[in-house]
Amino acid sequence: MSHTPNIIITGATSGLGREMAVQMAARGEHVIACGRRAARLAELEQIDGITGQTLDLSSPPHIDNFCAQFDTVSGIILNAGVTFVDRFDAGDVATDMSLIQTNVAANVQLIRGLLPALKASKGRILIVASVGGLTPLPYQAVYAGTKAFMVNFGLSLREELKSDGVQVSVFAPGGIKTEMTDIPVMKTLENDLAPVADVARAAIKTYDKMPALFVPGGQNKLITLAAKVFPRHVIAAQAERIYRKARQDES
Ligand SMILES: NC(=O)c1ccc[n+]([C@@H]2O[C@H](COP(=O)([O-])OP(=O)(O)OC[C@H]3O[C@@H](n4cnc5c(N)ncnc54)[C@H](OP(=O)(O)O)[C@@H]3O)[C@@H](O)[C@H]2O)c1
């Protein structure tokens, strides 16, 4: 059983999760970095303050076993996520279900499983959602659905858990240059992708301050504002045009 202050970060083997783990360890936090790729976790363990733990979010029994080892948790950053970028009818049900399992079901199970430990240390939950959870995102329809779930789930839990001293915050970035966006269709939109180190800094600031919801970056803030002013279907149509053009330019 762990009693020392600890921050669990899921999806820490690459991209935003890895960068947050490195930056948080550098300021003296004890980070438990999670993911499936053991070699990457071993590499991270070379950094002072980081402990690696394999965690396969596709396996509910594995998630249960993971949660059972903690009796206190200072914080959890639910960062792991996957997407599928294409027309919905080009996908298949196995990919849809695995996306929903990783982005939604696993996170719900982790929070439920770790809640006693989070309550014991009056801990923090940072949910990494996406601008795609605040506005519709054609060609990533299932992904946008999972992130919208996490936004509403997180903001609802935030109010419920206040009386237990557990804080919940939602971080909703736009495009970031990571493995997730290292795909042909994103090539023409590459200039719009934010450097991962900058986004990680914004995520950590969000973890420190725990606002209800934080959207980093001027352009993302504008998109989010537009989604409040215009009907969602208008935003969806505009996003569809942008991504359709990117798909055409790529092919
Ligand atoms: N990149 C963007 O443009 C962007 C924009 C907005 C929001 N986000 C969100 O930011 C978060 C991080 O994304 P990223 O861009 O950093 O992605 P990334 O570089 O592809 O990293 C994804 C992480 O999730 C982990 N993961 C995936 N499936 C898993 C599973 N079944 N079990 C355990 N871990 C799993 C991966 O680890 P293993 O493969 O080692 O398991 C990896 O560490 C995600 O929630 C994403 O939706 C990203």
Side-chain angles (χ1 to χ4, degrees):
M1 286 281 182
S2 159
H3 294 278
T4 46
N6 47 16
I7 300 170
I8 298 168
I9 304 181
T10 68
T13 53
S14 79
L16 182 60
R18 185 184 188 287
E19 189 61 35
M20 280 191 283
V22 171
Q23 289 188 20
M24 286 186 123
R27 68 179 201 177
E29 310 274 11
H30 174 216
V31 173
I32 300 172
C34 304
R36 290 166 301 178
R37 285 170 284 182
R40 298 234 181 147
L41 293 174
E43 212 178 277
L44 275 170
E45 286 203 295
Q46 301 306 306
I47 299 169
D48 260 2
I50 302 186
T51 305
Q53 275 228 6
T54 355
L55 173 60
D56 183 356
L57 299 175
S58 68
S59 163
H62 193 159
I63 298 172
D64 270 345
N65 290 338
F66 174 83
C67 295
Q69 63 187 306
F70 299 99
D71 58 4
T72 58
V73 171
S74 324
I76 178 155
I77 301 182
L78 296 163
N79 162 77
V82 285
T83 191
F84 171 75
V85 187
D86 208 331
R87 289 175 57 94
F88 177 72
D89 56 15
D92 57 63
V93 76
T95 310
D96 298 337
M97 293 306 124
S98 133
L99 213 148
I100 292 167
Q101 170 62 30
T102 306
N103 294 8
V104 173
N107 286 335
V108 174
Q109 191 186 347
L110 277 170
I111 292 183
R112 192 170 286 289
L114 291 170
L115 202 49
L118 283 158
K119 283 184 183 175
S121 41
K122 302 212 180 301
R124 296 169 181 217
I125 301 170
L126 180 68
I127 291 171
V128 178
S130 167
V131 167
L134 302 169
T135 65
L137 194 54
Y139 304 109
Q140 292 188 69
V142 179
Y143 175 81
T146 65
K147 293 297 180 179
F149 179 110
M150 290 310 296
V151 172
N152 268 338
F153 173 58
L155 294 178
S156 306
L157 264 189
R158 176 181 170 89
E159 298 308 315
E160 284 187 35
L161 295 181
K162 267 182 182 163
S163 54
D164 297 301
V166 175
Q167 299 180 67
V168 183
S169 184
V170 178
F171 180 69
I176 317 165
K177 203 166 165 47
T178 64
E179 282 178 21
M180 183 179 270
T181 49
D182 190 14
I183 49 174
V185 70
M186 294 305 293
K187 284 287 170 258
T188 55
L189 300 170
E190 211 169 19
N191 290 340
D192 294 327
L193 299 176
V196 69
D198 293 356
V199 183
R201 266 190 294 279
I204 292 170
K205 208 166 165 188
T206 308
Y207 180 84
D208 290 341
K209 297 193 161 175
M210 295 305 280
L213 170 74
F214 186 73
V215 177
Q219 196 179 332
N220 300 325
K221 284 188 173 74
L222 266 179
I223 296 169
T224 311
L225 181 69
K228 285 182 188 153
V229 175
F230 298 103
R232 278 172 176 237
H233 69 273
V234 173
I235 305 286
Q238 177 65 14
E240 194 279 333
R241 275 191 290 277
I242 293 167
Y243 282 98
R244 178 158 32 91
K245 183 167 182 320
R247 284 158 52 83
Q248 282 159 358
D249 291 350
E250 179 253 317
S251 58

